[in-house]
């Protein structure tokens, strides 16, 4: 039923964090923060200005994106609705459910995007063509 997910199923989550005189500690605690077991962790960094990352959807993957440094915008698209989310705090994460097209833009020079993911890397699980994505969304499973 992942094709039925909408942008409104994605949400910004406040992570557990402590700020004191030595800075922030932010933590993701699976059971209380996110609705999936973390299988893979990766991060994108050193992103040239004006680059767009993403530009794809996932059939099954659930993700939590965190701007551990800097900021960027994520354009979420379910084929009908679009929503723009900004990440700019190390204690906030964007939960993206499967079946959502995303483009990540407006990276600040110091941005790092940490991603916690529910599955191992599998290229066959990506939809990298927008027309194919729209077909996936309209499919009668
Ligand atoms: C997403 C955004 C936020 C791997 O070999 N293993 C991996 O775990 C990943 C994530 C990528 N790759 C390879 C696949 C490509 O040849 O690294 C290359 C760049 O990946 P991609 O074009 O998918 O990069 P982004 O930044 O557009 O997207 C990535 C994730 O793929 C995606 O799930 O949501 O970061």
């Amino acid at each position: 039923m992942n094709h039925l997910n909408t942008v409104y199923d994605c949400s910004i989550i406040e992570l557990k964090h402590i700020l004191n005189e030595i800075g922030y500690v932010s933590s993701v605690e699976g059971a209380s923060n996110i609705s999936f077991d973390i299988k893979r962790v990766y991060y994108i960094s050193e992103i040239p200005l004006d680059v767009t990352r993403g530009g794809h959807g996932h059939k099954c993957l659930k993700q939590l994106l965190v701007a551990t440094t800097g900021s960027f915008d994520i354009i979420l698209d379910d084929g009908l609705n679009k929503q723009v989310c900004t990440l700019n705090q190390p204690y906030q994460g964007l939960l993206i459910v499967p079946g959502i097209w995303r483009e990540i833009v407006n990276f600040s020079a110091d941005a790092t995007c940490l991603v916690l993911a529910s599955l191992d890397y599998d290229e066959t699980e990506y939809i990298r063509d927008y027309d194919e994505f729209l077909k996936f969304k309209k499919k009668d499973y």
Side-chain angles (χ1 to χ4, degrees), residues 47 49 69-72 105-112:
I47 305 129
L49 288 180
T69 57
S71 62
F72 46 84
V105 297
N106 296 332
F107 287 97
S108 63
D110 58 345
T112 298

Side-chain angles (χ1 to χ4, degrees), residues 40 42 44 53-54 56 58 63 102 104 121 126 128:
R40 179 169 50 116
Y42 57 93
I44 59 178
R53 302 286 296 244
H56 58 253
H58 288 283
Q63 296 160 292
R102 87 291 313 271
I104 310 166
Y121 174 69
Y126 282 72
R128 292 193 184 268

Side-chain angles (χ1 to χ4, degrees), residues 78-79 129-139:
D78 60 24
D129 178 82
Y130 191 71
D131 289 336
E132 209 182 295
F133 171 75
L134 292 179
K135 279 187 208 154
F136 172 78
K137 295 299 284 181
K138 287 179 187 144
K139 225 166 177 169

Side-chain angles (χ1 to χ4, degrees), residues 12-137:
I12 298 266
I13 290 174
E14 189 94 353
L15 305 175
K16 183 177 164 188
H17 64 283
I18 297 168
L19 174 63
N20 59 25
E21 60 280 0
I22 58 168
Y24 270 118
V25 175
S26 310
S27 60
V28 179
E29 296 183 0
S32 57
N33 285 134
I34 50 175
S35 55
F36 60 85
D37 290 333
I38 299 161
K39 206 64 187 291
R40 179 169 50 116
V41 175
Y42 57 93
Y43 44 91
I44 59 178
S45 55
E46 307 276 329
I47 305 129
L49 288 180
D50 297 329
V51 155
T52 298
R53 302 286 296 244
H56 58 253
H58 288 283
K59 295 176 194 164
C60 312
L61 191 72
K62 297 174 186 167
Q63 296 160 292
L64 185 81
L65 275 59
V66 180
T68 53
T69 57
S71 62
F72 46 84
D73 297 327
I74 305 101
I75 305 166
L76 302 171
D77 178 350
D78 60 24
L80 286 176
N81 313 291
K82 282 191 183 190
Q83 190 150 281
V84 181
C85 298
T86 299
L87 286 177
N88 55 14
Q89 301 293 343
Y91 53 83
Q92 285 181 338
L94 174 64
L95 184 67
I96 308 183
V97 294
I100 303 294
W101 187 267
R102 87 291 313 271
E103 290 180 3
I104 310 166
V105 297
N106 296 332
F107 287 97
S108 63
D110 58 345
T112 298
C113 174
L114 173 73
V115 184
L116 310 182
S118 64
L119 298 171
D120 289 333
Y121 174 69
D122 174 7
E123 187 57 39
T124 67
E125 187 278 326
Y126 282 72
I127 308 171
R128 292 193 184 268
D129 178 82
Y130 191 71
D131 289 336
E132 209 182 295
F133 171 75
L134 292 179
K135 279 187 208 154
F136 172 78
K137 295 299 284 181

